[in-house]
Amino acid sequence: MRCSRPAGHCSSHPHRRLQRSSPFPETLRSQLTDRAQRSPPKWERSWRTGSALAARSAPRYRLPYRPEACSCGPPGLRRLRWNRKHAMIAESQRHRQTLTRCTTKFTGRTVSRTSVSGSSAAETWASIADGSTECGVPGDAPLLMQLCILAHDPGNRMTLDDIIHELRTSTGVPKEAMRAGVAEAPALRLRIDALAAKLVDGVWLVPEDEQLLFYGLNVLAAERDTAIWPRLADILKLPDADIDRTFGDGAVETLARLILSCHAGAPSELPALVADPAVDWRAKWALFQAIARLAIDGRIDRALVANTLSRFEREEMADEDSLAWIGWIDAMSHAGLADLEPALHRVWQKRVCAHHTDADRAETLRILAAAVADPNDSHELDRHGIRAIDDPVEALRWVERIQEMGSGEGDHASDPRMGLTEYEVDWLCGFLTSRQVRDTAMSLEMVDGFFTALIAGPDAIRPSTYLDAIWGGAERDAPAFDTKEQAEYVMGLLMRRWNAIAEGIMIGDPAPALIIDFGDTLTGQDWADGFLLGLDYHESLAASGKIEKHTDRLIEPILALAGPEVYGSRISASRREKILDDLPDTILRCAAAWRPGAVAAPGTAPARSVKVGRNDPCPCGSGKKYKKCCGGSGAGPVVH
């Protein structure tokens, strides 16, 4: 591992200043320096004047001269000489790649361009060249050559804005940006702290900000930025759904490592968080693993850990079904707390441990015995990745593994007719129930039924007419959007869903309804309520009692979904299931009846051929001319 920070920057950093002898005898160093100060030969002068490789403004460096290190590559670079006074800089990307191959050939190591960055890079590499800092490959001039090129070439350095942009928008783990961000931790912390504060305050962060917060916390942890700890402690108290949304499948491991890297409070602070009823099971599990590791490392009194676990079990601080008990078992066994073995057997009797086999329990006892024999052995926790973060990229290997296994496919809609990805559906559903939105707002299921009725009905409804209804019915009920970006993202998702519904009706293949399967009499009720509310916006449907009766016959299945308060009687579970299965056909039948140009549902009986003149009375019974009523309502729904 190479040092990416100035020597001595942090006393706990593994690559501190180390004194070692110079790789060159002083006499040889003097001879080489004198030789290097002579005028460059003709071939070197011609190379320096070339337009593609001009380096007239090249900075100067203090580097040892090692001519045998550059014996490969194109002629211009084959004899390129480095000395303690100046260094020629190859500005073209092609020759930077050649230098990388040279470095790899002679040292077996490659160097990421972002492994050196920040204002103190020059001092760092100068100390490496002088032999006062260990960098993993002592005396390797090609490695030092490339490090200095990459550290000081402005085209290779990532600015803070570049780092933030990459962390926000990368589709994979932004390795280069994360490693470059370590050197920019103080400035990056301001942005991450602000996002964490919003998350704690109930702001539903847009996906890019969620991603920046996730990666940014890992970057700060690699820098041992303890200033972020108070905000991290607040994050631990968030509801489990928020923690899951922010940290994903590896929430427990990630939180444990963040705690180990950033905790700067009193030793009793972590046990207090474990006992806090506001802390949910994922955070408790992570806290259990963190205090076990701190006990092994000698950073917290083992007796304090034992008292914390004993009290947790004795006072039943979690439900029997809570996965926090799995964290309790992990902490007790890895910390080697043999006195708590009777409590361990009681925990095994809880419902959450019902799936544990004899082999699982034997493994727990094995870990306990090994920890008792050697209390300071952290091998087992290391094997599970429970340790402080040194490299943010290494800390997120689990994310790469998930991506390699194809779990990223879940971010795309399983059905292209939906118009939204599964992640976007979950995000929008969460936003509509967040603290930014009033309790009077519709749920996403209700919005979906509402949109379907507005689109399938006979009248063209403008967004300005119905948007207020989504938030509660009045303009004052609109959400307290955090930023313009968030408002645009929410409205963009709503309009994409609208267009997906409209397109499905136009082509006769409706988008699947967004209905949450509660497995009881409430399934589909919100969707039906939204649909019926949407019909109220179509004035032509209430033009006469005849039309109302016809409408009631068309929407009878939807009325049944709305519940006995609307339908007049309860329906059986089997009929509810049948209604939900037939819902696409029901929507198309309604659209076909209300919009003459709409596509009828499959299996719909053909209508009798009746020619209606444009100036004849409309057959719907409204009393208006056909061209002013159904004949003028358009052939399809409005698309935004």
Side-chain angles (χ1 to χ4, degrees):
M1 182 182 295
R2 289 173 291 279
C3 179
S4 59
R5 289 180 285 177
H9 179 73
C10 176
S11 60
S12 62
H13 195 271
H15 302 297
R16 294 185 291 271
R17 282 187 188 274
L18 296 176
Q19 297 295 331
R20 62 178 174 83
S21 60
S22 171
F24 300 102
E26 188 60 33
T27 55
L28 178 59
R29 181 185 294 272
S30 300
Q31 295 173 9
L32 297 178
T33 301
D34 293 339
R35 186 187 309 171
Q37 291 174 349
R38 302 171 189 169
S39 299
K42 180 178 180 180
W43 68 265
E44 189 170 346
R45 288 197 300 272
S46 64
W47 179 80
R48 294 168 71 179
T49 57
S51 59
L53 300 175
R56 298 180 181 87
S57 59
R60 297 176 180 269
Y61 308 94
R62 298 177 59 84
L63 290 172
Y65 171 55
R66 192 177 178 187
E68 71 275 13
C70 294
S71 59
C72 67
L77 292 178
R78 188 176 301 153
R79 296 179 58 197
L80 184 61
R81 299 184 301 166
W82 296 80
N83 56 59
R84 300 187 65 201
K85 286 198 171 183
H86 70 276
M88 295 298 299
I89 302 298
E91 293 186 345
S92 71
Q93 181 63 33
R94 179 170 60 86
H95 283 77
R96 279 200 295 270
Q97 293 172 351
T98 302
L99 289 175
T100 301
R101 290 194 293 271
C102 291
T103 303
T104 304
K105 177 176 180 180
F106 282 94
T107 68
R109 306 284 292 274
T110 56
V111 182
S112 169
R113 68 184 184 182
T114 56
S115 62
V116 286
S117 58
S119 59
S120 58
E123 291 83 355
T124 302
W125 306 127
S127 65
I128 294 172
D130 291 338
S132 58
T133 299
E134 184 67 43
C135 195
V137 189
D140 277 315
L143 176 61
L144 297 176
M145 173 175 60
Q146 191 189 20
L147 291 176
C148 288
I149 290 175
L150 299 176
H152 295 273
D153 184 356
N156 268 322
R157 294 177 60 184
M158 293 185 75
T159 65
L160 179 62
D161 289 341
D162 293 335
I163 294 169
I164 290 176
H165 175 76
E166 186 68 14
L167 295 180
R168 290 185 87 239
T169 61
S170 175
T171 55
V173 177
K175 298 180 181 180
E176 292 187 7
M178 292 182 71
R179 286 178 172 142
V182 174
E184 301 288 348
L188 182 62
R189 186 202 320 122
L190 300 177
R191 184 71 176 270
I192 301 305
D193 185 73
L195 290 177
K198 289 182 179 182
L199 179 66
V200 171
D201 290 340
V203 174
W204 207 254
L205 300 178
V206 295
E208 289 80 4
D209 283 342
E210 283 183 353
Q211 181 168 303
L212 174 59
L213 176 61
F214 175 71
Y215 289 131
L217 285 173
N218 283 272
V219 170
L220 297 181
E223 180 60 14
R224 301 294 191 274
D225 193 331
T226 57
I228 199 67
W229 167 249
R231 199 69 69 189
L232 181 58
D234 291 337
I235 290 177
L236 294 174
K237 299 176 185 178
L238 289 175
D240 182 63
D242 290 346
I243 290 179
D244 180 48
R245 177 170 56 91
T246 304
F247 296 98
D249 295 339
V252 173
E253 176 185 331
T254 299
L255 285 175
R257 300 192 70 174
L258 291 176
I259 294 168
L260 290 169
S261 303
C262 300
H263 177 249
S268 60
E269 187 174 2
L270 297 182
L273 283 171
V274 169
D276 191 334
V279 178
D280 222 320
W281 70 266
R282 291 179 205 263
K284 286 186 186 294
W285 190 342
L287 285 164
F288 279 134
Q289 292 189 326
I291 61 176
R293 178 65 195 232
L294 291 173
I296 292 174
D297 294 344
R299 295 171 56 190
I300 189 173
D301 186 16
R302 201 176 295 262
L304 178 61
V305 177
N307 291 335
T308 301
L309 297 182
S310 177
R311 180 190 171 198
F312 192 90
E313 188 273 334
R314 186 174 62 254
E315 298 182 11
E316 297 280 344
M317 292 186 178
D319 296 334
E320 283 206 355
D321 296 321
S322 174
L323 290 172
W325 291 110
I326 308 300
W328 187 97
I329 295 173
D330 284 349
M332 177 268 176
S333 57
H334 286 105
L337 304 178
D339 293 342
L340 294 182
E341 189 169 346
L344 172 63
H345 288 276
R346 291 193 294 271
V347 170
W348 275 337
Q349 302 306 313
K350 298 184 181 297
R351 285 196 299 268
V352 71
C353 297
H355 66 285
H356 282 205
T357 64
D358 292 340
D360 295 329
R361 299 182 182 186
E363 175 65 11
T364 299
L365 294 176
R366 183 196 67 77
I367 295 174
L368 175 61
V372 171
D374 189 353
N376 298 321
D377 184 8
S378 60
H379 170 73
E380 290 292 340
L381 285 177
D382 286 338
R383 189 164 61 89
H384 292 90
I386 307 303
R387 57 183 179 274
I389 297 174
D390 292 319
D391 178 3
V393 175
E394 176 275 327
L396 297 180
R397 291 270 170 79
W398 63 269
V399 177
E400 291 186 285
R401 289 194 295 269
I402 289 177
Q403 293 173 347
E404 291 170 359
M405 289 188 295
S407 295
E409 295 176 359
D411 292 339
H412 302 282
S414 56
D415 191 329
R417 297 173 299 170
M418 296 286 289
L420 303 175
T421 66
E422 292 179 6
Y423 174 84
E424 289 168 338
V425 169
D426 290 341
W427 190 95
L428 187 56
C429 184
F431 174 79
L432 292 173
T433 57
S434 70
R435 282 185 273 174
Q436 289 184 259
V437 181
R438 291 177 179 268
D439 294 338
T440 54
M442 296 183 185
S443 66
L444 181 57
E445 181 178 327
M446 191 172 183
V447 170
D448 198 64
F450 183 61
F451 279 2
T452 303
L454 293 176
I455 293 169
D459 302 332
I461 311 298
R462 300 190 179 192
S464 58
T465 306
Y466 63 78
L467 279 178
D468 287 341
I470 296 176
W471 313 122
E475 186 176 352
R476 65 177 182 276
D477 294 327
F481 289 113
D482 176 55
T483 60
K484 179 183 178 181
E485 181 185 13
Q486 187 191 52
E488 292 175 346
Y489 186 69
V490 171
M491 298 309 299
L493 294 182
L494 290 174
M495 290 303 99
R496 280 169 51 194
R497 180 57 183 170
W498 173 285
N499 291 339
I501 296 172
E503 182 181 1
I505 291 176
M506 282 192 290
I507 66 176
D509 186 17
L514 295 177
I515 294 179
I516 300 174
D517 187 2
F518 291 104
D520 56 19
T521 57
L522 296 179
T523 300
Q525 184 170 317
D526 271 6
W527 192 94
D529 289 343
F531 187 91
L532 297 178
L533 178 61
L535 292 184
D536 290 342
Y537 284 75
H538 295 280
E539 296 179 357
S540 59
L541 290 179
S544 68
K546 181 179 179 180
I547 294 179
E548 289 184 356
K549 290 181 180 178
H550 179 61
T551 300
D552 288 345
R553 287 195 299 272
L554 283 173
I555 65 172
E556 190 267 343
I558 299 174
L559 291 171
L561 278 182
E565 296 83 0
V566 176
Y567 188 57
S569 62
R570 298 185 181 276
I571 58 175
S572 63
S574 59
R575 189 185 175 197
R576 180 179 297 275
E577 192 67 27
K578 180 70 165 56
I579 292 173
L580 292 173
D581 290 341
D582 294 342
L583 196 56
D585 290 346
T586 302
I587 294 170
L588 288 181
R589 278 195 294 270
C590 291
W594 294 329
R595 292 181 178 271
V599 179
T604 302
R608 288 175 294 177
S609 177
V610 179
K611 185 175 181 180
V612 181
R614 286 178 52 77
N615 291 316
D616 293 342
C618 185
C620 73
S622 64
K624 299 180 181 180
K625 292 183 179 180
Y626 178 66
K627 67 181 180 180
K628 295 290 187 180
C629 188
C630 296
S633 60
V638 176
V639 176
H640 301 299

